[in-house]
Amino acid sequence: MRIDILTLFPSMFDGFLNNSIIKRAIDKNLVEINIVNFRDYSKDPHHKVDDTPYGGGSGMVLMVQPIYDAVMDLKDEDTKVILLTPDGEKYNQKKAYDLKKYKHLIIICGHYEGFDDRIRSVVDFEISIGDYVLTGGELPSMIITDTIVRLVDGVIDEESHINDSFNPNTNLLDYPTYTKPREFMGLTVPEVLLNGNHKEIEEYRLKESIKKTQEKRPDLLEK
Ligand code: ADE
C-alpha cells in the first residue's frame, strides 16, 4: 500500500515516520509513505500557495492550482483522494478498515484559514478526526495513516486486531491486560489469568470486554 501525504510542512512528519511500528512497516516495505510538499507544484513565480479570500474575511486560503496539480501528478486509476477538514465525515475504526482496502491513498492536509472549495472536485472522501478545529491537517493525516498502517498485513500480530477496541465485527472495547508483577501496592492480577486455562481466559476476557463496553460506551452495544 502507498500513502502520499500532501502538506506544506514536511518536517512535521519526521518523528512520525522514523519511530516504532510505522518505521518498521516502511523498512519492511509493507507500506510506502511519501511526504509531498505541494508548494513544489505552485506555478507562481514566488511559489505562492495561498491568497486572501474572495469576498473578504480574515486569514489566507490555500489555492486550488498547486494541490490540483499535485493530485493529478500522483494519482492513477487505483487512487483514492482524502481531504482532511473539520466538516468531513467523522473518522472511526470502520473507516480505517475501509481505507485499508485501497492500493494508493493521497491525503491532502489543509492549513491556515482553509482551502479554495474547488479542491473538493478532486476528492473522494472528506474526513474529520473530531469536532474541533486544528491548525492544519498534518496531525489528522498522521492519525489516519497510523490507524491504516497497523491494519496492513504483516505490520502487527493479526490476532491483536480481533480484540481491538471498535473492531467493526465486535464493536466492543478491548479487555483489560496485566503484566508483572503479580501484585503492585496491594492490587492483584485476576486469578483466572494465572491458571493457564485458555478457554477460561478467553471467556473471562470476553465477559470483561462486554462489561467495560456497557460501563464506558453503552452506545457501541446499541449498534
Ligand atoms: N483540519 C483542522 N481540523 C481538522 C479536523 N478536526 N479533522 C480533520 N482535519 C482538520
Side-chain angles (χ1 to χ4, degrees):
M1 156 161 236
R2 176 176 141 204
I3 302 176
D4 297 332
I5 301 176
L6 305 191
T7 174
L8 291 175
F9 300 94
S11 62
M12 285 181 73
F13 294 84
D14 292 350
F16 174 60
L17 297 178
N18 288 299
N19 286 283
S20 185
I21 293 169
I22 303 296
K23 176 175 166 36
R24 214 169 55 221
I26 295 168
D27 290 347
K28 285 165 84 179
N29 289 324
L30 298 171
V31 286
E32 178 185 341
I33 302 175
N34 301 308
I35 307 300
V36 179
N37 189 338
F38 60 83
R39 191 180 293 281
D40 296 341
Y41 287 87
S42 171
K43 289 190 172 134
D44 178 84
H46 301 105
H47 299 287
K48 209 167 131 89
V49 286
D50 57 356
D51 214 323
T52 51
Y54 278 122
S58 65
M60 298 296 272
V61 176
L62 290 172
M63 296 154 95
V64 64
Q65 176 273 317
I67 297 177
Y68 179 87
D69 284 357
V71 169
M72 289 305 135
D73 185 33
L74 298 166
K75 84 176 280 187
D76 59 33
E77 66 275 12
D78 290 324
T79 307
K80 292 287 173 198
V81 181
I82 297 168
L83 179 67
L84 297 171
T85 165
D87 54 27
E89 176 193 341
K90 188 94 69 73
Y91 194 63
N92 58 23
Q93 189 69 5
K94 183 176 177 308
K95 190 76 184 170
Y97 275 94
D98 290 345
L99 293 177
K100 186 216 143 184
K101 292 180 199 141
Y102 299 109
K103 278 199 204 137
H104 180 212
L105 297 172
I106 296 176
I107 305 181
I108 304 169
C109 305
H111 220 91
Y112 308 124
E113 193 52 31
F115 36 75
D116 187 314
D117 217 64
R118 290 168 289 185
I119 285 171
R120 295 183 202 268
S121 64
V122 294
V123 165
D124 297 294
F125 307 115
E126 297 186 19
I127 295 179
S128 163
I129 60 158
D131 290 346
Y132 40 80
V133 180
L134 296 152
T135 54
E138 283 73 17
L139 290 171
S141 76
M142 289 184 231
I143 288 170
I144 288 168
T145 302
D146 191 287
T147 57
I148 297 168
V149 170
R150 66 185 287 287
L151 296 178
V152 168
D153 293 347
V155 172
I156 57 173
D157 183 8
E158 219 141 294
E159 209 183 304
S160 66
H161 297 159
I162 299 166
N163 302 313
D164 274 348
S165 292
F166 315 112
N167 181 322
N169 292 325
T170 61
N171 243 337
L172 294 172
L173 297 179
D174 201 357
Y175 52 74
T177 53
Y178 304 85
T179 185
K180 293 184 184 71
R182 276 172 78 150
E183 191 190 323
F184 179 72
M185 292 182 30
L187 301 170
T188 54
V189 174
E191 210 46 50
V192 60
L193 298 176
L194 308 170
N195 73 10
N197 183 327
H198 295 293
K199 194 168 169 293
E200 272 183 32
I201 291 173
E202 218 174 281
E203 281 167 9
Y204 160 83
R205 285 178 167 164
L206 178 62
K207 217 175 75 204
E208 288 299 310
S209 258
I210 294 169
K211 195 170 113 197
K212 194 172 165 191
T213 312
Q214 267 162 349
E215 278 167 15
K216 294 189 170 185
R217 291 292 305 273
D219 57 302
L220 294 176
L221 294 171
E222 280 153 29
K223 287 183 194 161

